[in-house]
Amino acid sequence: MDLNSASTIVLQVLTQATSQDTSVLKPAEEQLKQWETQPGFYSVLLNIFTNHTLNVNVRWLAVLYFKNGIDRYWRRVAPHALLEEEKSTLRAGLITNFNEPVNQIATQISVLIAKVARLDCPRQWPELIPTLLESVKVQDDLRQHRALLTFYHVTKTLASKRLAADRKLFYDLASGIYSFACSLWNHHTDTFLQQIFMGDEAAAATNSLERTLLSLKVLRKLTVHGFVEPHRNVEVMGFLHAVFERLKQFLDCSRRIGTENVCRDRLEKTIILFTKVLLDFLDQHPFSFTSLIQRSLEFAVSYVFTEAGEGVAFERFIVQCMNLIKMIVKNYAYKPSKHVEDSSPETLEAHKIKTSFFTYPTLTEICRRLVTHYFLLTEEELTMWEEDPEGFTVEETGGDSWKYSLRPCTEVLFIDIFHEYNQTLTPVLLEMVHNLQGPTNVEDTNALLIKDAVYNAVGLAAYELFDSVDFDLWFKNQLLAELQVSHNRYKPIRRRVIWLIGQWISVKFKSDLRPMLYEAIRNLLQDQDLVVRIETATTLKLTVDDFEFRTDQFLPYLEFMFTLLFQLLQEVTECDTKMHVLHVLSCVIERVNIQIRPYVGCLVQYLPLLWKQSEEHNMLRCAILTTLIHLIQGLGADSKNLYPFLLPIIQLSTDVSQPPHVYLLEDGLELWLVTLENSPCVTPELLRIFQNMSALLELSSENLRTCFKIINAYIFLSSAEFLQVYSGDLCRSFCELLKDITTEGQVQVLKVVENVLKVNPTLGPQMFQPLLPSVFRGIIDGERYPVVMSTYLGVIGRVLLQNASFFSMLLSQMACECGQEMDQLLGNMIEMWVDRMDNITQPERRKLSALALLSLLPSDNSVIQDKFCGIINVSVEGLHDVMTEDAETRTYKDCMLMSHFEEHKVTEDEEPPTEQDKRKKMLALKDPVHTVSLQQFVYEKLKAQQELLGEQAFQALMETVDTEIVTQLQEFLQGF
């Protein structure tokens, strides 16, 4: 591409590509895509985006195309890779001038330079770093800033490389430029502080503070990633110690300039960056951090837990300080082994520093301040409770902004410190609880908030307090009474107490107290305050989810609870809250199972409306699907009444051509499966949904296992109608799948075929005939995976035992394909079958193998007689598997025989049988494995063989069998 002639054309097309008119935009994009691989194209782009007289949008687009080109074509091994000559020219052009006037474009140029540096620096681009170091010294403000911006992005990118050779290069780079980076940072920092104290805040905000921030970002990367043993480098440790002094100076600045100042936001960013330097260094180099532990703790604790932080510390800074304390407290590197002599000197030194700092007075003050200061509900939170109760509950339970806010950070710090120092802090917390005995005056807001905070602490420390708190006694003597105080101002305590019980329910709560708790929950679900009702629903979920939950205790309250939960579901309006309440309902339905049937009418009527209203909220729809899954399991065969609503939902959720399937597919498939498992009979609509399956099988996703379960469920539900419509499509899908599928997937496909043969032994082999040659071939070739071989033998065993004529046809086909005689091929198959019998672990398949091979008898075929010994060996193995001895009569009985359908009595802990379970039992009554006595079958086949050959020839045949095997066989056949 000639630069002079091409620049005008490329500029014109780039201009068209910025158009809002799609008829202009699309052709331009196509043209640019074609040019991506043309030599000289990126040189033209460089000329365009470095020409400041051109339209900003055009230049922006040129930068983006250049950046994308680096990703695709810069590597030497890439298809259509850029020529080395052009790359050399481009590298030189990128660092000729750091004078880009537009901030967004300057950032993009810095990023693309960093991308090139990642691939070429320092070997192909040794001049990059020296050029950047010179450029950040220039007096021109714009050039200096742009060079510093590029310096940061290059450092950040090089620091992220992880190969050993790249790490070595970065260590060398860091050692070479660290002194300069420190002096650069100190210079810009001093300039900023001087400007602030001189009152020149405008200059500080626009120039020096930005440079301070960028130079600090560079130092952060160099410090954290640039040294193997940073504690041995005086400059590194000097910088880290200087961070504390600089932090104090910047915090003083924040107090001096006030909250409305123009540089406030960037100043806070810089303060946070200081803390990130310490946190990152601690994370990457815990032992190198040892000399900083004492100072870090002193600094963080003073600003968070003493008056030093008042008026200075802003919320995010407090969060960072708490994170610093937490990381030191729970750092594994600082914890000695149980046997002290096994600990390293570095660990013991760090532990000693921690222990000397966390004295009893310090820990006590931290604990008290956390609980009585940071745990208190704020005015803002209380206002939100009143004005937006659902928003309040979402924030409290972990909304999007929750993880970045102060409250969860304080709670996590409390949990970590209490766990580490529980022997010291348990008496402190128990004393706080003791001081709050009895009801609190509803007029004393502060006392109510303190009680709320202390109860919060007891809930968070539940596991640590297991041996120190008699929670059952506390529940009966105080907490239960507090739940009954109905005054509106007491609602924070009602909410906190029911939350507290939820925290302790799986820790320490006697089973015989549950009815009292259910009574309290029932009352609180009628509370006048919505937040209290939502929190109560949460505790109910924890209660029914608990290991010690007993259905019989809960049933007297079920109707009332379910009705109140349903009313709550209708009342709440936020998507997150509806999801939460639905989840509680799902848990209740799941635990009581069929006992829910009398009470679900209202929910069944409401869910279609909720589904329609949630069209734009896919996560709420996922919650509805989960509820429906448990509902179907509870309703059993009665779930058929839901089909007008249910089946369209399954259709939508599992249709990969519909956008919502991205969110709904997994739960939709599970719902489809339980619907089939509980269906009393197939319907045309239920059958029609299977049209979605071909596309699902093509996805070959992690949901494939559920898809196979669904296919099997259709086979058990109505094999004749299902296979008549879909056997062809299914066979084609399976043939495609088997070309490229895991061993497990292969087994799942063959299990479906095996089930078809079990359900329909006459037509099944014909329907899946294209699959059977590969199965037969797998046996002959001695498939190396035992689980696959076992399934192969199961499939062919079914064909041989239940459709002998088709087996003969298959054997004839395989003999033609392999160029062998049928008898020779049959002999090879029997030999491999006998040899690989140990691959079969399931007793049903082992009996099937014995029945199948015995079905070849009686025979005068020389090949079968030649393999007679192996057939008898397999038969005796099968007898050992299935025969049990009656202790009284000393006779043997086939334990797999089933003569009639028995309805199993379900205990409270068991799931009731689904309709599919019943269908499988009915199918077993027709299965030779469960209807034919192996003992009798062996006897009859041997007798028939004897009659065919005559006594003498038969005895000669029996002599080919090992005498020990013959003895065992005779023992099994006693009485015949």
Side-chain angles (χ1 to χ4, degrees):
M1 186 176 278
D2 178 62
L3 290 187
N4 294 326
S5 60
S7 291
T8 307
I9 302 169
V10 174
L11 181 59
Q12 182 183 355
V13 175
L14 280 170
T15 305
Q16 292 169 351
T18 62
S19 172
Q20 300 298 312
D21 184 349
T22 54
S23 64
V24 177
L25 171 67
K26 291 296 181 185
E29 287 180 337
E30 284 298 319
Q31 181 60 71
L32 289 167
K33 188 171 183 60
Q34 292 176 19
W35 283 339
E36 280 181 0
T37 56
Q38 290 293 313
F41 176 61
Y42 294 96
S43 298
V44 174
L45 290 179
L46 176 65
N47 289 343
I48 290 172
F49 70 70
T50 54
N51 186 344
H52 305 159
T53 63
L54 298 176
N55 179 278
V56 170
N57 292 330
V58 172
R59 294 174 57 227
W60 169 262
L61 197 59
V63 171
L64 292 185
Y65 269 94
F66 194 105
K67 191 173 74 169
N68 293 337
I70 294 170
D71 292 332
R72 292 172 186 158
Y73 309 115
W74 198 274
R75 295 178 188 273
R76 279 177 292 181
V77 294
H80 310 291
L82 273 72
L83 298 173
E84 288 301 319
E85 295 81 3
E86 184 176 6
K87 284 162 64 175
S88 178
T89 305
L90 293 173
R91 283 192 294 260
L94 285 170
I95 56 174
T96 301
N97 291 303
F98 295 100
N99 60 349
E100 173 54 54
V102 180
N103 286 331
Q104 293 90 333
I105 294 178
T107 301
Q108 290 300 321
I109 292 173
S110 296
V111 170
L112 68 85
I113 289 174
K115 282 178 175 288
V116 175
R118 183 179 184 86
L119 300 171
D120 290 359
C121 184
R123 291 187 179 89
Q124 286 81 36
W125 207 1
E127 63 273 18
L128 172 62
I129 300 299
T131 302
L132 289 173
L133 296 183
E134 287 302 313
S135 299
V136 297
K137 298 176 187 175
V138 299
Q139 297 303 307
D140 183 285
D141 284 344
L142 180 65
R143 291 174 187 272
Q144 187 187 71
H145 176 270
R146 299 317 191 214
L148 191 53
L149 180 66
T150 305
F151 188 28
Y152 160 61
H153 280 288
V154 168
T155 308
K156 177 184 175 183
T157 300
L158 295 179
S160 69
K161 299 180 79 173
R162 288 290 169 261
L163 293 177
D166 295 325
R167 302 296 314 134
K168 176 69 169 62
L169 288 172
F170 190 70
Y171 295 150
D172 294 342
L173 171 66
S175 299
I177 67 172
Y178 198 82
S179 294
F180 175 79
C182 281
S183 62
L184 188 69
W185 168 67
N186 276 314
H187 167 72
H188 290 306
T189 304
D190 289 336
T191 303
F192 166 72
L193 293 171
Q194 189 176 5
Q195 288 170 339
I196 288 292
F197 286 104
M198 295 280 291
D200 190 2
E201 293 173 4
T206 55
N207 291 324
S208 55
L209 183 54
E210 172 68 13
R211 286 157 178 70
T212 300
L213 188 61
L214 284 172
S215 55
L216 182 57
K217 285 181 176 181
V218 171
L219 267 179
R220 176 189 173 197
K221 294 300 177 184
L222 294 176
T223 303
V224 174
H225 301 290
F227 300 90
V228 180
E229 296 179 310
H231 59 283
R232 299 187 185 280
N233 188 296
V234 177
E235 285 184 305
V236 171
M237 299 313 293
F239 162 69
L240 290 167
H241 281 285
V243 164
F244 295 101
E245 295 304 320
R246 292 301 197 186
L247 257 172
K248 289 178 182 177
Q249 291 171 343
F250 274 68
L251 287 165
D252 287 343
C253 281
S254 72
R255 180 193 284 122
R256 179 185 291 267
I257 66 174
T259 57
E260 302 301 322
N261 193 278
V262 288
C263 65
R264 177 77 193 191
D265 182 58
R266 189 152 286 168
L267 179 61
E268 289 189 357
K269 280 185 179 177
T270 308
I271 291 170
I272 294 303
L273 188 60
F274 278 122
T275 62
K276 285 181 178 179
V277 171
L278 296 173
L279 287 165
D280 288 357
F281 190 76
L282 171 57
D283 180 56
Q284 294 292 319
H285 306 284
F287 290 129
S288 294
F289 194 86
T290 301
S291 64
L292 300 165
I293 291 176
Q294 180 75 21
R295 195 165 184 184
S296 297
L297 290 172
E298 289 172 353
F299 177 87
V301 169
S302 68
Y303 276 100
V304 176
F305 298 111
T306 72
E307 291 72 21
E310 291 180 8
V312 178
F314 51 96
E315 184 171 299
R316 194 156 175 226
F317 172 69
I318 295 172
V319 168
Q320 292 293 91
C321 287
M322 287 185 173
N323 285 336
L324 187 59
I325 298 169
K326 180 186 70 176
M327 282 183 69
I328 293 172
V329 165
K330 66 182 294 189
N331 201 303
Y332 184 75
Y334 301 158
K335 292 184 179 180
S337 303
K338 286 184 179 179
H339 303 291
V340 178
E341 61 273 14
D342 295 336
S343 305
S344 68
E346 294 86 357
T347 296
L348 294 175
E349 174 64 20
H351 182 68
K352 181 181 175 183
I353 297 169
K354 273 175 55 181
T355 305
S356 67
F357 179 83
F358 286 112
T359 59
Y360 177 80
T362 301
L363 286 169
T364 303
E365 183 59 23
I366 288 174
C367 180
R368 290 188 185 279
R369 289 275 293 180
L370 279 171
V371 176
T372 61
H373 178 71
Y374 288 107
F375 278 15
L376 293 183
L377 288 169
T378 64
E379 281 294 328
E380 183 184 348
E381 288 170 324
L382 291 170
T383 302
M384 190 178 190
W385 184 329
E386 294 296 331
E387 296 177 357
D388 181 15
E390 289 188 56
F392 174 82
T393 57
V394 170
E395 285 291 311
E396 284 285 297
T397 53
D400 289 341
S401 61
W402 184 83
K403 59 187 175 184
Y404 303 110
S405 64
L406 184 57
R407 178 169 297 281
C409 186
T410 60
E411 292 179 351
V412 171
L413 178 60
F414 173 81
I415 292 168
D416 288 336
I417 288 183
F418 205 94
H419 175 74
E420 190 76 10
Y421 302 103
N422 62 76
Q423 290 185 334
T424 302
L425 294 177
T426 294
V428 177
L429 185 55
L430 292 182
E431 181 192 351
M432 295 168 78
V433 174
H434 181 73
N435 293 337
L436 295 170
Q437 290 298 315
T440 305
N441 185 350
V442 295
E443 303 300 328
D444 190 344
T445 303
N446 189 58
L448 290 171
L449 294 179
I450 290 289
K451 178 175 272 193
D452 173 81
V454 172
Y455 283 6
N456 186 16
V458 176
L460 294 172
Y463 286 98
E464 306 298 336
L465 295 171
F466 179 86
D467 293 321
S468 306
V469 173
D470 187 342
F471 192 81
D472 297 328
L473 190 64
W474 193 27
F475 170 74
K476 287 187 292 186
N477 292 353
Q478 175 159 349
L479 297 180
L480 206 52
E482 299 213 70
L483 289 176
Q484 293 163 359
V485 180
S486 59
H487 196 287
N488 185 52
R489 289 186 182 174
Y490 215 73
K491 64 187 180 186
I493 305 304
R494 291 197 301 277
R495 167 186 166 266
R496 182 58 69 190
V497 169
I498 199 65
W499 171 88
L500 174 63
I501 294 167
Q503 302 307 299
W504 276 84
I505 199 77
S506 61
V507 178
K508 195 178 191 180
F509 197 86
K510 279 185 181 174
S511 179
D512 58 8
L513 293 176
R514 300 243 171 175
M516 296 170 67
L517 174 58
Y518 295 144
E519 191 73 41
I521 287 174
R522 184 176 71 175
N523 293 333
L524 285 177
L525 283 173
Q526 302 170 79
D527 197 276
Q528 59 189 343
D529 185 77
L530 181 59
V531 173
V532 174
R533 296 204 300 278
I534 293 170
E535 193 65 66
T536 304
T538 305
T539 295
L540 175 59
K541 175 192 170 295
L542 294 170
T543 307
V544 300
D545 262 352
D546 184 53
F547 180 71
E548 293 189 11
F549 173 80
R550 281 169 44 194
T551 309
D552 63 313
Q553 289 181 321
F554 185 68
L555 284 179
Y557 306 92
L558 174 58
E559 181 178 4
F560 216 120
M561 296 261 206
F562 197 83
T563 302
L564 292 169
L565 284 171
F566 174 65
Q567 290 171 1
L568 181 60
L569 177 64
Q570 288 179 299
E571 182 182 350
V572 295
T573 56
E574 293 292 324
C575 180
D576 286 335
T577 325
K578 281 192 179 291
M579 285 169 57
H580 178 63
V581 180
L582 268 175
H583 192 43
V584 178
L585 280 164
S586 293
C587 289
V588 171
I589 295 169
E590 184 180 16
R591 291 312 296 263
V592 301
N593 208 283
I594 60 174
Q595 309 278 3
I596 200 67
R597 291 178 185 177
Y599 315 118
V600 295
C602 55
L603 181 62
V604 167
Q605 290 175 359
Y606 176 64
L607 284 177
L609 174 63
L610 185 58
W611 180 265
K612 189 174 181 181
Q613 292 172 343
S614 62
E615 191 170 356
E616 301 300 319
H617 303 282
N618 286 309
M619 297 314 293
L620 177 54
R621 286 196 158 185
C622 286
I624 296 172
L625 291 174
T626 303
T627 305
L628 283 169
I629 289 167
H630 297 309
L631 200 54
I632 300 304
Q633 289 168 330
L635 289 172
D638 292 343
S639 61
K640 187 182 177 185
N641 299 325
L642 273 62
Y643 283 5
F645 162 58
L646 187 64
L647 300 187
I649 284 180
I650 297 173
Q651 167 70 39
L652 173 72
S653 304
T654 59
D655 185 350
V656 297
S657 67
Q658 297 290 332
H661 90 273
V662 175
Y663 303 94
L664 307 179
L665 181 58
E666 186 173 349
D667 293 317
L669 287 171
E670 192 64 34
L671 179 59
W672 191 358
L673 177 60
V674 299
T675 300
L676 290 166
E677 288 174 341
N678 290 278
S679 177
C681 59
V682 74
T683 67
E685 295 78 15
L686 193 55
L687 206 57
R688 199 174 299 124
I689 299 175
F690 196 81
Q691 293 172 359
N692 288 353
M693 185 57 71
S694 291
L696 290 166
L697 293 175
E698 286 175 18
L699 281 180
S700 296
S701 67
E702 64 276 4
N703 296 308
L704 209 51
R705 181 188 288 270
T706 310
C707 290
F708 286 125
K709 288 181 180 178
I710 289 168
I711 296 167
N712 283 320
Y714 272 106
I715 292 167
F716 293 130
L717 177 61
S718 181
S719 63
E721 292 172 84
F722 171 66
L723 292 171
Q724 185 179 357
V725 179
Y726 292 111
S727 61
D729 292 340
L730 206 52
C731 189
R732 281 188 289 275
S733 293
F734 284 176
C735 287
E736 286 301 312
L737 270 176
L738 289 172
K739 290 176 183 176
D740 182 25
I741 198 171
T742 62
T743 301
E744 185 187 358
Q746 196 175 354
V747 170
Q748 294 299 326
V749 169
L750 294 171
K751 278 184 178 178
V752 173
V753 177
E754 195 174 5
N755 283 329
V756 171
L757 298 174
K758 190 185 299 184
V759 172
N760 197 330
T762 306
L763 296 178
Q766 297 172 19
M767 291 174 174
F768 288 92
Q769 195 276 335
L771 292 172
L772 295 178
S774 63
V775 174
F776 196 99
R777 201 174 295 111
I779 295 173
I780 298 298
D781 294 343
E783 164 63 45
R784 62 195 180 102
Y785 290 109
V787 67
V788 178
M789 187 61 158
S790 171
T791 317
Y792 281 165
L793 294 172
V795 169
I796 295 300
R798 286 279 169 194
V799 176
L800 175 58
L801 178 62
Q802 294 180 266
N803 197 332
S805 60
F806 188 89
F807 178 78
S808 296
M809 187 181 74
L810 177 64
L811 188 64
S812 173
Q813 178 189 341
M814 296 306 300
C816 290
E817 288 183 16
C818 300
Q820 294 183 22
E821 293 294 324
M822 284 177 61
D823 285 352
Q824 182 187 356
L825 201 60
L826 178 62
N828 293 343
M829 183 198 77
I830 297 172
E831 187 174 334
M832 188 59 71
W833 202 324
V834 172
D835 184 56
R836 299 294 289 276
M837 189 67 184
D838 287 344
N839 288 171
I840 307 174
T841 56
Q842 304 94 324
E844 289 87 353
R845 275 212 192 123
R846 289 178 67 81
K847 180 177 177 180
L848 174 67
S849 286
L851 291 171
L853 289 175
L854 281 166
S855 71
L856 294 168
L857 302 177
S859 174
D860 56 3
N861 185 307
S862 60
V863 171
I864 293 175
Q865 291 188 24
D866 186 48
K867 305 301 178 186
F868 180 80
C869 172
I871 294 172
I872 298 302
N873 286 350
V874 168
S875 301
V876 172
E877 280 188 47
L879 288 166
H880 278 293
D881 291 329
V882 304
M883 302 304 286
T884 54
E885 186 178 10
D886 188 309
E888 293 180 6
T889 62
R890 306 292 294 172
T891 57
Y892 287 96
K893 177 185 173 184
D894 190 329
C895 65
M896 286 193 184
L897 289 181
M898 294 172 60
S899 57
H900 62 281
F901 181 77
E902 294 181 0
E903 189 73 64
H904 175 64
K905 285 190 176 181
V906 181
T907 65
E908 185 184 321
D909 296 331
E910 289 181 317
E911 295 287 329
T914 64
E915 294 299 306
Q916 179 162 299
D917 293 331
K918 297 173 187 176
R919 285 191 283 271
K920 283 183 175 180
K921 284 195 173 181
M922 294 302 293
L923 178 62
L925 293 175
K926 302 175 184 176
D927 186 350
V929 171
H930 297 291
T931 58
V932 175
S933 164
L934 180 59
Q935 183 187 32
Q936 188 166 346
F937 197 67
V938 171
Y939 171 75
E940 289 175 355
K941 289 294 179 180
L942 290 179
K943 192 170 185 346
Q945 186 71 26
Q946 184 181 28
E947 291 173 355
L948 176 68
L949 298 183
E951 181 64 28
Q952 188 175 356
F954 179 71
Q955 286 303 324
L957 201 58
M958 288 299 296
E959 286 174 8
T960 63
V961 183
D962 185 84
T963 53
E964 178 61 29
I965 299 294
V966 172
T967 304
Q968 293 172 25
L969 179 64
Q970 289 169 343
E971 190 176 336
F972 279 122
L973 297 182
Q974 279 179 1
F976 281 92

